[in-house]
């Protein structure tokens, strides 16, 4: 018969010290991720559920969050991934990005994007099925980099729509074209940034991770402030000072 062992409560000081020990002292930078596979409630994508975004986002989150210079802040999926986590309150009254994605240094989204380049999609209407570029203002709290692993979010002919989302943000990475539902791009991306495979700037690592997981008909893309195109993630190289102009490029996989 299994017995439960009664434990004597630890003194408060010891409890505090043990809790503090959970987060290593070297973890100064924070990442987050959100993903959607179930789009059955979204009228724009109700017949287009996905399979691999959970694994893809977790690959990014746990690989980067496990690095000695980083710590995972949160990861949410399907019905817990909400557009208001990405909205700035100055752009939308429901926006609370300052306590979610913009409270981290690197944010990652894996799910559907809109073919017109206007944003990316969620599986619940709380508060909206779509994060539109007009709702975003990232980096005015803390975010330095964002990756949108979603179709057409950085279309060449529409990338200027995202300029006003740069409120301190260094760069965005995503796709010019449609992309595929794969499970390993997030982890591949991080392996190339933090030295487990190699140590590359963020945008280079994204382009090569896309090349490794997409056919040659796919084009990855990046948008960055002048001075930040060659940023490395914290703990693995230097970062630039954001300028006033923008650089954009697409990359054939």
């Amino acid at each position: 018969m299994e017995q439960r062992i009664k434990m004597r409560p630890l003194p408060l000081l010891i409890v505090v010290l043990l809790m503090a020990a959970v987060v290593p002292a070297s973890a100064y930078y924070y990442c987050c991720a959100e993903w959607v596979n179930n789009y059955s409630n979204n009228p724009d994508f109700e017949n287009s559920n996905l399979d691999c975004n959970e694994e893809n986002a977790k690959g990014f989150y746990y690989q980067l969050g496990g690095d000695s210079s980083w710590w995972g802040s949160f990861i949410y999926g399907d019905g817990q991934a909400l557009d208001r986590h990405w909205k700035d309150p100055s752009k939308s009254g429901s926006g609370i990005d300052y306590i979610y994605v913009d409270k981290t240094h690197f944010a990652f989204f894996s799910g559907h994007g809109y073919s017109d380049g206007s944003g990316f999609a969620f599986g619940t209407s709380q508060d909206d099925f779509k994060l539109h570029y007009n709702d975003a203002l990232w980096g005015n709290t803390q975010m330095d980099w964002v990756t949108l692993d979603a179709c057409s979010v950085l279309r060449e002919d529409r990338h200027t729509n995202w300029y006003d989302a740069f409120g301190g943000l260094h760069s965005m990475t995503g796709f010019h074209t449609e992309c595929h539902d794969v499970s390993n791009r997030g982890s591949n991306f991080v392996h190339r940034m933090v030295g487990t495979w190699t140590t590359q700037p963020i945008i280079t690592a994204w382009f090569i991770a896309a090349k490794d997981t997409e056919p040659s008909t796919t084009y990855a893309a990046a948008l960055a402030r002048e001075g930040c195109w060659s940023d490395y993630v914290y703990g693995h190289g230097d970062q630039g000072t954001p300028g006033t102009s923008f650089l954009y490029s697409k990359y054939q996989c």
Side-chain angles (χ1 to χ4, degrees), residues 205-219:
W206 175 248
F207 285 167
I208 302 304
K211 184 178 180 66
D212 287 346
T213 53
E214 291 287 333
S216 60
T217 52
T218 301
Y219 281 78

Side-chain angles (χ1 to χ4, degrees), residues 25-86:
S26 59
Y28 297 123
Y29 306 107
Y30 295 87
C31 63
C32 68
E34 294 199 345
W35 55 269
V36 182
N37 280 332
N38 184 357
Y39 281 96
S40 57
N41 292 322
N42 185 322
D44 294 326
F45 297 99
E46 59 186 342
N47 297 316
S48 300
N49 283 344
L50 299 168
D51 298 314
C52 301
N53 288 324
E54 178 178 3
E55 188 175 354
N56 190 36
K58 286 181 175 179
F60 171 88
Y61 180 77
Y62 289 112
Q63 289 294 330
L64 185 56
D67 181 78
S68 61
S69 295
W70 288 80
W71 191 255
S73 182
F74 66 87
I75 180 167
Y76 295 133
D78 282 337
Q80 292 183 313
L82 306 179
D83 84 312
R84 63 173 174 249
H85 296 166
W86 299 79

Side-chain angles (χ1 to χ4, degrees), residues 65-221:
D67 181 78
S68 61
S69 295
W70 288 80
W71 191 255
S73 182
F74 66 87
I75 180 167
Y76 295 133
D78 282 337
Q80 292 183 313
L82 306 179
D83 84 312
R84 63 173 174 249
H85 296 166
W86 299 79
K87 286 180 176 178
D88 189 88
S90 70
K91 300 291 192 77
S92 170
S94 63
I96 49 174
D97 70 342
Y98 61 95
I99 57 175
Y100 283 94
V101 299
D102 208 6
K103 197 176 179 180
T104 69
H105 299 90
F106 205 146
F108 184 92
F109 175 83
S110 186
H112 277 307
Y114 285 83
S115 60
D116 62 359
S118 60
F120 50 100
F122 292 86
T124 174
S125 59
Q126 302 178 41
D127 290 286
D128 198 343
F129 283 118
K130 179 179 183 179
L131 188 288
H132 192 277
Y133 58 78
N134 281 334
D135 294 325
L137 182 64
W138 298 322
N140 57 324
T141 303
Q142 186 159 265
M143 190 198 299
D144 294 311
W145 307 290
V146 60
T147 293
L148 304 177
D149 193 345
C151 295
S152 307
V153 287
L154 280 176
R155 275 178 49 164
E156 184 176 27
D157 60 338
R158 303 290 177 85
H159 76 272
T160 58
N161 290 336
W162 290 101
Y163 283 6
D164 288 341
F166 280 66
L169 189 70
H170 287 208
S171 70
M172 294 177 62
T173 43
F175 286 95
H176 162 64
T177 59
E178 291 185 352
C179 57
H180 291 78
D181 183 19
V182 302
S183 62
N184 61 338
R185 187 156 44 239
S187 58
N188 186 317
F189 181 32
V190 177
H191 285 316
R192 295 187 173 281
M193 291 190 290
V194 302
T196 48
W197 291 355
T198 185
T199 305
Q200 295 174 319
I202 294 165
I203 291 174
T204 302
W206 175 248
F207 285 167
I208 302 304
K211 184 178 180 66
D212 287 346
T213 53
E214 291 287 333
S216 60
T217 52
T218 301
Y219 281 78

